[in-house]
Amino acid sequence: MFTDLSGPTVLVPTGSMANDQELPPPVLPDHEGAILPVPPTLPTTASLEAALEVMRSSLREARDASTDEEQLTGNCVLVVEGQQLVGILTERDAVRWALSDLPPNQIRLGAVMTHPVICRQRHECLDILATMSLLRRQRIRHLPIVDEWNHPAGIVTITSLNRVLKETFFLRFRQAVEVMSTAVVTVRPQDTLRHAIQTMALRGISCVVVTELITSRRGPSRERPIGILTERDILQMRRFALSLSTTQVDEVMSAPLACIHPADDLAAVRDRMQKLRIRRMVVANDAGELVGLITESNLMQSIDPVDLYGVYEILQRQVSILREGQFQLLSRQRFDLSRALANREFRLVYQPLLNLGQGKIRSAEALIRWTSPQHGTVPPCDFIPLAEHSGFIVELGDWILETACQQIQQWMQADGQAIQIAVNVTAHQLLEPQFVAKLLGIVERAGIPPALLKLELTESVLVENTMATALCFQELQKQGIQIAIDDFGTGYASLSYLQHFSFDTLKVDQSFVRGIHNNPKAQVIVHSVLDMAENMGFETVAEGVEDPEELQWLRNAGCQVIQGYLIGKPLPPAQWRPEWLSGAVLPPIGAATDSGGREDRQASSPGR
Ligand code: C2E
Ligand code: MG
Ligand code: MG
């Protein structure tokens, strides 16, 4: 969603940032505070001992100055060759080497540092959310900042990021239990340090919780936390050259332990961490049993990006990113569709509609099909929206109307009855200034009565451009062209909208029809729609009827016309069945009953 900083590990920063400069990330004014001054640097040839000493003295200085130690140092050493950044030494690297038997003064930084190192330039870190997500994804705590020559210029850490965030950025009313990790690694106070360090190195974790077992006769044994052993505790201990195999965990762990409760508010937990200057807190329940651990990273997970940027900024940024690409895509697609029309890749198929009262097919819906040599069969819901966005729908719509009107004419001339055809029309077409005049021209050229043409529009046209739509409806009806509202119930028009428009048919969307005989809620909705339509004089069509039981229910509920695979799929005119065209009365589908939907209807309409 935001600038993707997750690219390959950067040692030598890339020269061109042309794209980023065109679309600068949103900069939150005080977030530069997340970038700390340059931490200590040492060459690859320096010893681990020298690095540990530098880290310790930075900590000491910070404590003496009562400054937040992480804030001052980032708690790491950057390793350079010449002046170029080549690696980083964190507490974790140092702890891993605590297991080695070599004394730290014989270990070179080049051999123990993490390298290659993930780093970024300053301007790439101003988008704080992207920086946070980079740290999370890469599972790192430190992100060195370099200048254009790859010289160290600062550092961002999880702690520094967390500290520049205001409390409001953290989701309020959330509890520790929602973000804590429950897979806590524990050791016993009597375990050796070697065991604890090995456990941490093996699992790649920065601390272990020290617990005592509470044995109970009734249930499984529980653990009570009594201390915590962190990377820093281990580095302190190494300084005194204690033996890993004989020193016990309880001799070096941090205790007593400040525990929090699972129900504690996250903002309060964060405050407490900052006051105590710690990065993790153990979570214990009322009985004092260990239930979890919260780290700075867990806290970061609770940050709400919407709070951080505001929905508006997020959307604005997305829009500007999409705009250029979309423009190019639309021009390409418009070209594709124009070519498809010129190459006669579109055709219309016609789906029969059964008039239940007469038992006859009196009308059909024209549905477009695109068979593309490159893309195969493309469904209309994929390309109609594209045609709308690119404006090509007007040209395509004209072709659809012409073709459908010619089909009406052909059926009129054949032996059978006249079939009314419904054509789907979009708001874009309807609101074209010359639409009605153009349509009348098409109808006239085809030599058909306007009443044999119906336009299907979705509910959304009733809501958008209300005045223009109402006038257009009036004009069309004055000329004898019918109008149907399609997919009724899926848009956002309320029933009260309908009184402002004059139209002929209301098509109940197939989502209500599916399994209606077994769905009491849909039954209530469809009953009210049918009632209202009846009172207002609209014809009702149920779309997507696939099942005889659905048809039976709809028939009993008073629906007049049925469309769906049960009656017939959309077919090219050549495949239309003779009995559909001849106006023959079709055999009833599904067993008729006297009760069914009517009774349901009465039961669900009190007072009728
Ligand atoms: P729509 O106007 O609601 O058309 C009904 C859709 O339901 C058609 O899908 C039809 O094939 C499908 N359908 C009919 N009976 C059943 C059934 O029993 N079960 C199921 N599952 N589906 C059934 P189609 O042809 O894919 O068209 C989808 C949508 O694309 C149409 O919805 C319409 O909004 C649009 N569309 C199709 N042709 C045109 C067109 O010529 N012009 C415009 N502007 N839009 C079109
Ligand atoms: Mg339709
Ligand atoms: Mg529909």
Side-chain angles (χ1 to χ4, degrees):
M1 184 183 281
F2 299 94
T3 317
D4 185 11
L5 301 180
S6 66
T9 302
V10 180
L11 266 175
V12 180
T14 47
S16 160
M17 292 299 296
N19 287 341
D20 282 4
Q21 276 159 15
E22 275 162 27
L23 282 171
V27 178
L28 299 172
D30 53 350
H31 284 174
E32 276 225 48
I35 301 179
L36 306 179
V38 189
T41 56
L42 284 174
T44 42
T45 48
S47 69
L48 177 61
E49 185 174 36
L52 290 175
E53 188 44 46
V54 165
M55 279 159 88
R56 269 194 294 267
S57 65
S58 313
L59 280 179
R60 242 190 339 263
E61 272 173 39
R63 277 193 198 127
D64 292 348
S66 297
T67 316
D68 186 328
E69 56 219 36
E70 288 259 349
Q71 226 25 11
L72 192 74
T73 64
N75 214 28
C76 62
V77 170
L78 296 186
V79 189
V80 288
E81 250 169 24
Q83 288 181 358
Q84 301 237 333
L85 178 72
V86 290
I88 183 169
L89 184 90
T90 64
E91 287 176 335
R92 183 160 307 173
D93 301 311
V95 164
R96 255 202 321 270
W97 284 86
L99 288 170
S100 125
D101 289 334
L102 279 175
N105 61 359
Q106 288 180 24
I107 299 172
R108 300 283 142 234
L109 279 190
V112 292
M113 67 188 185
T114 295
H115 114 109
V117 56
I118 298 166
C119 60
R120 290 291 185 266
Q121 287 191 42
R122 189 180 199 88
H123 65 268
E124 294 174 284
C125 294
L126 297 181
D127 184 331
I128 197 164
L129 197 65
T131 311
M132 272 164 43
S133 93
L134 172 71
L135 291 172
R136 262 192 222 161
R137 264 179 290 140
Q138 300 287 350
R139 301 175 71 92
I140 52 174
R141 292 187 44 81
H142 304 83
L143 179 71
I145 306 300
V146 289
D147 63 16
E148 54 193 304
W149 299 281
N150 201 33
H151 298 164
I155 192 155
V156 175
T157 67
I158 290 195
T159 311
S160 73
L161 280 176
N162 262 331
R163 303 217 167 156
V164 293
L165 292 172
K166 298 195 189 78
E167 285 67 33
T168 49
F169 296 153
F170 292 81
L171 272 186
R172 278 138 292 167
F173 313 116
R174 292 192 64 183
Q175 298 181 335
V177 66
E178 292 175 54
V179 297
M180 69 186 190
S181 351
T182 48
V184 188
V185 180
T186 58
V187 294
R188 304 280 163 270
Q190 296 75 29
D191 284 343
T192 62
L193 268 182
R194 182 174 295 280
H195 168 75
I197 298 173
Q198 274 169 344
T199 306
M200 286 164 71
L202 207 68
R203 308 233 183 170
I205 49 177
S206 61
C207 72
V208 282
V209 177
V210 188
T211 56
E212 286 176 339
L213 282 183
I214 316 167
T215 40
S216 147
R217 269 195 222 126
R218 273 174 289 136
S221 46
R222 304 287 176 87
E223 292 178 89
R224 181 187 317 152
I226 55 166
I228 189 164
L229 187 73
T230 67
E231 287 161 346
R232 194 166 299 170
D233 297 321
I234 292 166
L235 293 182
Q236 295 284 356
M237 170 287 298
R238 283 300 278 165
R239 195 172 159 224
F240 300 113
L242 299 176
S243 152
L244 294 188
S245 308
T246 54
T247 310
Q248 286 188 182
V249 164
D250 59 358
E251 293 173 57
V252 282
M253 69 184 185
S254 300
L257 200 59
C259 286
I260 53 166
H261 191 267
D264 281 353
D265 181 80
L266 275 186
V269 171
R270 177 173 178 268
D271 278 354
R272 218 161 143 210
M273 272 193 189
Q274 290 198 353
K275 274 201 198 93
L276 296 171
R277 292 187 185 165
I278 52 179
R279 301 201 310 247
R280 321 155 180 94
M281 291 202 81
V282 173
V283 189
N285 62 16
D286 290 332
E289 296 158 351
L290 175 72
V291 288
L293 181 74
I294 283 199
T295 65
E296 278 180 332
S297 313
N298 296 137
L299 270 187
M300 212 180 239
Q301 313 266 334
S302 75
I303 291 167
D304 179 5
V306 172
D307 263 1
L308 194 58
Y309 280 120
V311 180
Y312 180 70
E313 279 93 343
I314 291 178
L315 293 180
Q316 208 178 28
R317 180 122 185 267
Q318 288 308 299
V319 168
S320 50
I321 289 169
L322 286 175
R323 199 176 290 137
E324 179 59 17
Q326 199 182 28
F327 179 74
Q328 288 171 6
L329 194 72
L330 285 180
S331 6
R332 220 175 34 237
Q333 277 157 350
R334 186 187 169 119
F335 179 64
D336 260 357
L337 292 173
S338 306
R339 200 173 42 192
L341 187 61
N343 292 346
R344 299 166 165 264
E345 290 166 20
F346 294 110
R347 68 197 165 98
L348 291 188
V349 287
Y350 299 87
Q351 186 172 29
L353 273 75
L354 176 70
N355 183 304
L356 287 175
Q358 302 173 347
K360 293 180 184 177
I361 303 297
R362 301 302 311 270
S363 53
E365 178 173 1
L367 293 157
I368 192 163
R369 297 291 176 259
W370 179 19
T371 314
S372 151
Q374 289 101 37
H375 315 296
T377 308
V378 189
C381 34
D382 282 359
F383 67 86
I384 293 286
L386 294 181
E388 267 197 277
H389 278 107
S390 63
F392 180 66
I393 191 69
V394 174
E395 211 175 321
L396 185 63
D398 290 352
W399 175 84
I400 295 170
L401 285 163
E402 299 248 13
T403 311
C405 288
Q406 282 161 16
Q407 188 57 53
I408 297 174
Q409 221 276 336
Q410 282 176 25
W411 275 337
M412 269 172 64
Q413 295 210 324
D415 277 350
Q417 53 160 356
I419 301 268
Q420 184 190 50
I421 292 185
V423 175
N424 292 284
V425 171
T426 65
H428 196 114
Q429 290 171 270
L430 184 79
L431 298 172
E432 233 203 319
Q434 295 304 315
F435 179 71
V436 178
K438 189 166 64 180
L439 185 64
L440 290 174
I442 294 174
V443 168
E444 204 179 302
R445 275 198 301 281
I448 56 164
L452 285 184
L453 180 65
K454 189 181 270 190
L455 301 185
E456 285 195 11
L457 288 142
T458 54
E459 262 180 296
S460 56
V461 293
L462 306 184
V463 183
E464 295 151 17
N465 304 295
T466 324
M467 197 59 198
T469 306
L471 288 174
C472 190
F473 277 21
Q474 268 174 25
E475 184 59 25
L476 286 167
Q477 288 181 316
K478 207 163 76 191
Q479 304 294 337
I481 294 168
Q482 295 202 349
I483 297 169
I485 298 301
D486 201 359
D487 303 342
F488 189 78
T490 57
Y492 29 86
S494 70
L495 294 184
S496 68
Y497 258 95
L498 301 183
Q499 63 185 311
H500 304 297
F501 299 91
S502 154
F503 54 88
D504 307 276
T505 303
L506 204 151
K507 297 186 78 174
V508 180
D509 187 67
Q510 45 182 290
S511 55
F512 298 103
V513 171
R514 189 78 55 254
I516 184 126
H517 50 290
N518 290 324
N519 184 342
K521 281 190 185 156
Q523 287 174 7
V524 173
I525 296 171
V526 173
H527 272 316
S528 7
V529 172
L530 294 177
D531 271 352
M532 179 208 58
E534 189 183 337
N535 292 333
M536 295 179 90
F538 309 140
E539 176 196 56
T540 45
V541 177
E543 298 187 89
V545 179
E546 293 183 353
D547 195 313
E549 284 168 305
E550 290 165 358
L551 182 140
Q552 196 54 53
W553 189 93
L554 289 157
R555 186 200 298 271
N556 291 337
C559 181
Q560 295 155 318
V561 181
I562 298 290
Q563 175 180 1
Y565 295 166
L566 181 66
I567 314 299
K569 291 201 168 182
L571 291 170
Q575 291 174 26
W576 259 50
R577 291 202 222 140
E579 64 267 31
W580 293 349
L581 293 169
S582 67
V585 176
L586 302 176
I589 305 168
T593 60
D594 291 328
S595 54
R598 264 295 161 205
E599 271 182 10
D600 290 351
R601 185 183 193 184
Q602 280 158 8
S604 57
S605 313
R608 282 174 53 104

